[in-house]
């Protein structure tokens, strides 16, 4: 039987990455293989690890790697940071702060006498006295904005030469020992399977494209720097430098990263999609931590949803709707959260596995007539 030419899209989205592991595990069990991997952010890491190992080891390696990335629940409960991958160089940060303190420009505009006079005139007027706790808080905030000490500390904290709170796996080549245990970049460059990734070039204001080929037209090779760059969350992680340009994750523009598939459309028969986010199931935040996480994840979820719709529209407009099948793996997103803890990873694997099995079962049953289903389903699974 002719082998079906397939692509798989592994979206970005961070903590629900367990769904990708579970879904790939189910796909492996049914013998469904892929020729093209189009990925973004954490999906790029998944694809690179998955394709670095023999078929009987790759799911185990994915689970091992992400067990290192995520944090035990008891630690995460009181310090909710993925401490193994969000890495600070505190000595470098001291140097950065000292540099800011030594800069004469830091001290310009600290003391604003005219603004202080205006502030005093406003609140010395009995008509403007605070009438409630909110008015009082507003008065304090306005006062702090004019306090030279507060202004100085604000400059040190927010205007020093840092573009994020920490580094992904550390600055430079830090983290390479861990990554090289799970990703064989040399092997990736020799595979028949194509892996695509992206990252947003902040310097040139465009998406840059990467693939597992040492010299591909319009693409640069996937490296550790590329994986660090395309997973650098704005605000949380410092921007990576590649060839002098600053990068952040590609998810800010293209979460599912379908653009690479256009050159493969004529040869592909199926595109499977593992989208790890669904904006319709995002729950209202109960605390500041959840609000911060949703503030990052919700835009990615909406971008991913729109990307899938646009890709399907592109197929329809170009006459490929009946030639190229898009299979979206359905799963119980409402059971997932955005915490970097072991229980989230384990739940994600379970949700992804169950969702993929159900999707694959429907897919296989739709491929064959009912009377021959058992025989032909087994044959189809081998493809």
């Amino acid at each position: 039987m002719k082998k079906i030419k397939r692509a798989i899209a592994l979206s970005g989205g961070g903590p629900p990455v367990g769904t990708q592991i579970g879904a790939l595990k189910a796909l492996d069990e049914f013998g469904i293989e892929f020729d093209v991997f189009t990925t973004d952010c954490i999906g790029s890491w998944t694809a690179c690890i998955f394709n670095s190992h023999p078929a009987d080891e790759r799911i185990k390696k994915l689970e091992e790697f992400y067990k290192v990335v995520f944090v035990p629940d008891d630690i995460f409960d009181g310090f909710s940071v993925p401490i193994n991958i969000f890495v600070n160089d505190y000595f470098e940060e001291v140097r950065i702060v000292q540099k800011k303190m030594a800069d004469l420009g830091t001290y310009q505009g600290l003391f604003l006498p005219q603004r202080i006079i205006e502030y005093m005139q406003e609140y010395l007027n009995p008509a403007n006295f605070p009438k409630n706790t909110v008015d009082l808080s507003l008065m304090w905030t306005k006062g702090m904005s004019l306090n030279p000490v507060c202004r100085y500390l604000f400059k040190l904290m927010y205007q020093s030469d840092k573009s994020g709170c920490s580094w992904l796996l550390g600055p430079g080549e830090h983290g390479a020992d861990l990554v090289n245990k799970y990703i064989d970049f040399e092997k990736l460059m020799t595979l028949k399977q194509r892996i695509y990734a992206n990252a947003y070039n902040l310097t040139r204001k465009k998406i840059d494209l990467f693939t597992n080929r040492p010299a591909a037209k319009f693409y640069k090779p996937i490296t550790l720097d590329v994986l660090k760059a395309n997973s650098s969350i704005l605000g949380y992680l410092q921007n990576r430098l590649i060839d002098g340009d600053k990068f952040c994750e590609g998810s800010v523009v293209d979460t599912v990263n379908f653009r690479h598939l256009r050159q493969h459309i004529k040869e592909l028969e199926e595109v499977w999609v593992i989208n790890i986010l669904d904006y319709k199931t995002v729950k209202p935040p109960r605390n500041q931590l959840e609000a911060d996480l949703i503030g990052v994840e919700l835009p990615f979820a909406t971008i991913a949803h729109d990307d899938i719709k646009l890709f399907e529209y592109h197929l329809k407009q170009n006459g490929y709707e009946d030639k190229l099948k898009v299979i979206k793996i359905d799963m119980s997103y409402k059971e997932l959260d955005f915490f970097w803890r072991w229980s989230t990873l384990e739940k994600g694997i379970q949700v992804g596995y169950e969702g993929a099995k159900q999707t694959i079962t429907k897919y296989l049953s739709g491929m064959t007539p009912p009377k021959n289903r058992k025989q032909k389903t087994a044959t189809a699974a081998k493809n």
Side-chain angles (χ1 to χ4, degrees), residues 43-109:
S44 305
W45 294 85
T46 299
C48 289
I49 297 168
F50 184 79
N51 286 287
S52 289
H53 302 279
D56 60 343
E57 294 182 18
R58 54 198 186 187
I59 299 301
K60 179 183 176 184
K61 292 297 182 181
L62 279 170
E63 292 175 344
E64 286 179 4
F65 175 77
Y66 284 119
K67 196 74 180 285
V68 174
V69 168
F70 283 70
V71 179
D73 285 41
D74 55 344
I75 296 177
F76 190 87
D77 180 58
F79 196 80
S80 304
V81 177
I83 52 177
N84 295 325
I85 56 169
F86 282 21
V87 179
N88 285 292
D89 183 346
Y90 293 110
F91 296 97
E92 175 63 13
E93 290 187 15
V94 169
R95 187 197 67 78
I96 290 172
V97 171
Q98 288 175 338
K99 178 184 175 184
K100 188 68 177 174
M101 293 171 67
D103 181 4
L104 294 179
T106 303
Y107 302 91
Q108 294 179 2

Side-chain angles (χ1 to χ4, degrees), residues 111-118:
F111 183 57
L112 302 174
Q114 183 58 39
R115 296 296 184 191
I116 293 173
I117 291 171
E118 292 171 359

Side-chain angles (χ1 to χ4, degrees), residues 208-211 213 216 218-222 242-243 245 247:
D208 275 10
L209 309 173
F210 306 88
T211 190
R213 293 292 185 274
F218 306 122
Y219 297 88
K220 297 176 183 178
I222 294 176
I242 301 177
D243 298 332
D245 291 344
F247 283 83

Side-chain angles (χ1 to χ4, degrees), residues 119-378:
Y119 172 81
M120 293 178 66
Q121 289 174 339
E122 178 182 0
Y123 285 105
L124 286 174
N125 184 343
N128 296 326
F129 284 175
K131 299 177 179 60
N132 49 54
T133 56
V134 175
D135 288 348
L136 185 61
S137 298
L138 179 61
M139 183 185 75
W140 283 341
T141 303
K142 287 182 177 180
M144 286 190 293
S145 75
L146 299 174
N147 184 305
V149 175
C150 292
R151 294 173 64 81
Y152 177 65
L153 293 175
F154 185 94
K155 284 192 173 188
L156 292 183
M157 181 176 295
Y158 289 102
Q159 296 180 14
S160 293
D161 296 335
K162 280 184 63 177
S163 57
C165 297
S166 60
W167 291 101
L168 180 60
L169 295 174
E173 292 299 310
H174 290 271
D177 290 343
L178 168 64
V179 174
N180 290 335
K181 285 173 59 179
Y182 295 96
I183 300 178
D184 187 338
F185 289 101
E186 290 185 7
K187 179 181 178 180
L188 294 182
M189 294 297 163
T190 65
L191 294 177
K192 290 182 180 179
Q193 291 87 350
R194 292 296 294 263
I195 303 173
Y196 296 104
N198 67 17
Y200 186 66
N201 189 321
L202 289 160
T203 303
R204 302 179 186 273
K205 299 176 178 61
K206 68 183 185 72
I207 283 281
D208 275 10
L209 309 173
F210 306 88
T211 190
N212 61 326
R213 293 292 185 274
K217 191 177 182 181
F218 306 122
Y219 297 88
K220 297 176 183 178
I222 294 176
T223 63
L224 173 59
D225 264 349
V226 169
L227 293 180
K228 284 187 173 186
N230 91 334
S231 303
S232 295
I233 308 166
L234 283 170
Y236 284 84
L237 296 169
Q238 296 203 49
N239 305 133
R240 296 292 304 178
L241 274 176
I242 301 177
D243 298 332
D245 291 344
K246 283 192 173 184
F247 283 83
C248 70
E249 62 178 318
S251 289
V252 295
V253 176
D254 190 349
T255 304
V256 186
N257 196 21
F258 278 126
R259 67 179 60 195
H260 308 288
L261 295 183
R262 294 177 184 175
Q263 62 184 297
H264 294 284
I265 280 178
K266 292 182 180 179
E267 61 192 74
L268 288 173
E269 297 169 72
E270 296 175 358
V271 175
W272 292 64
V273 181
I274 306 178
N275 181 20
I276 65 178
L277 299 170
D278 181 5
Y279 72 92
K280 294 179 182 177
T281 60
V282 171
K283 305 174 187 69
R286 296 169 297 182
N287 50 51
Q288 185 65 50
L289 172 62
E290 291 186 1
D292 287 347
L293 292 172
I294 291 172
V296 173
E297 301 293 349
L298 186 55
F300 295 161
T302 57
I303 294 170
H305 180 267
D306 292 342
D307 284 349
I308 295 167
K309 289 287 187 184
L310 286 170
F311 182 68
E312 291 176 322
Y313 178 77
H314 174 78
L315 295 179
K316 184 176 181 179
Q317 289 297 104
N318 290 276
Y320 290 103
E321 187 177 24
D322 296 326
K323 302 174 186 176
L324 180 57
K325 191 174 184 180
V326 177
I327 301 137
K328 292 171 279 191
I329 292 180
D330 189 26
M331 57 187 80
S332 301
Y333 294 98
K334 61 185 178 182
E335 299 181 32
L336 305 175
D337 58 47
F338 303 131
F339 298 138
W340 292 96
R341 59 187 180 188
W342 282 358
S343 59
T344 297
L345 176 63
E346 292 162 1
K347 185 64 176 177
I349 294 172
Q350 178 187 344
V351 167
Y353 181 73
E354 292 173 354
K357 280 189 71 173
Q358 293 174 8
T359 302
I360 295 166
T361 301
K362 291 179 183 177
Y363 159 79
L364 292 175
S365 64
M367 287 179 61
T368 60
K371 61 181 180 180
N372 296 323
R373 184 170 297 167
K374 283 187 179 180
Q375 179 182 352
K376 292 191 177 181
T377 296

